[in-house]
Amino acid sequence: MRAWAVTEPGPVEGGSLQLVEKPVPVPGDDELLVHVRACGVCRTDLHVTEGDLPVHRPGVTPGHEVVGVVAGFGAAVSGFAVGDRVGVAWLRHTDGTCVYCLRGAENLCPRSEYTGWDADGGYAEYTTVPAAFAHRLPADLDDVALAPLLCAGIIGYRALRRAALPPGGRLGLYGFGGSAHLRAQVALAEGAT
């Protein structure tokens, strides 16, 4: 399959991201094989590509705003079928047992793993994801429109909920990337100023 891989972390203009041929990944027992239909571009993908984040896996394929369809799955997977539409986000795995996981703060798990950093992501024709971390997606929305929701959308939604904005309240946003852009749309739709 065709995939983009980080050959040598550095400025993206210098060719650190190269189009390569890789074998189609084989899903582990608890994983889905996902045929990628769209993958958004997140600043974190650039951090991985340019070496701002330390290399976790040489030659990794970035991309964690993945929209695709299930093309296969491991022996221990249940509840998914070939053809199901799924999303793959940044958070790929947590231990489920640490103090952070037990209080619902999985993003702080010290044994967490990430799509496009610890495992190949969606800048490829196929990727894998543990079934427990696959997001079911509605069939009637555009792939390209859904992709950013799998990172900026998740982050923005979580931040908005943690802000505990009262109905009709006023929301201030500092900085304005994808997360704030999506957060503002949800807040406005809910009646915020």
Side-chain angles (χ1 to χ4, degrees), residues 2-5 17 39-42 45 49 61-64 66 121-125:
R2 292 174 303 163
W4 290 95
L17 198 60
C39 186
V41 178
C42 176
D45 298 319
T49 301
T61 294
H64 60 269
V66 180
Y123 292 1
E125 294 179 83

Side-chain angles (χ1 to χ4, degrees), residues 13-14 25 31 46 56 73 82 85 97-98 104 115 157 161 171:
E13 298 88 353
E31 293 182 335
L46 293 176
H56 277 195
F73 45 83
V82 170
R85 191 171 190 215
T97 62
C98 72
T115 305
Y157 186 79
R161 292 297 162 248
L171 179 65

Side-chain angles (χ1 to χ4, degrees), residues 171-190:
L171 179 65
L173 299 172
Y174 299 89
F176 204 78
S179 174
H181 173 71
L182 293 168
R183 183 175 345 148
Q185 290 180 62
V186 171
L188 288 169
E190 293 178 343

Side-chain angles (χ1 to χ4, degrees), residues 36-163:
V36 177
R37 292 175 28 177
C39 186
V41 178
C42 176
R43 179 67 188 144
T44 303
D45 298 319
L46 293 176
H47 288 310
V48 170
T49 301
E50 295 185 336
D52 297 330
L53 291 172
V55 174
H56 277 195
R57 187 167 174 262
V60 73
T61 294
H64 60 269
E65 295 180 349
V66 180
V67 175
V69 294
V70 175
F73 45 83
V77 173
S78 62
F80 285 95
V82 170
D84 285 352
R85 191 171 190 215
V86 296
V88 181
W90 175 240
L91 189 60
R92 175 185 171 79
H93 175 78
T94 60
D95 66 20
T97 62
C98 72
V99 64
Y100 300 107
C101 288
L102 294 176
R103 74 173 195 217
E106 297 89 355
N107 59 307
L108 301 176
C109 177
R111 286 174 287 289
S112 56
E113 295 176 7
Y114 300 93
T115 305
W117 193 22
D118 295 300
D120 284 342
Y123 292 1
E125 294 179 83
Y126 292 88
T127 191
T128 60
V129 62
F133 287 82
H135 301 272
R136 293 182 183 279
L137 299 177
D140 59 342
L141 297 174
D142 179 69
D143 294 336
V144 174
L146 277 173
L149 299 179
L150 291 157
C151 183
I154 290 170
I155 292 166
Y157 186 79
R158 181 176 184 271
L160 183 60
R161 292 297 162 248
R162 290 187 55 95

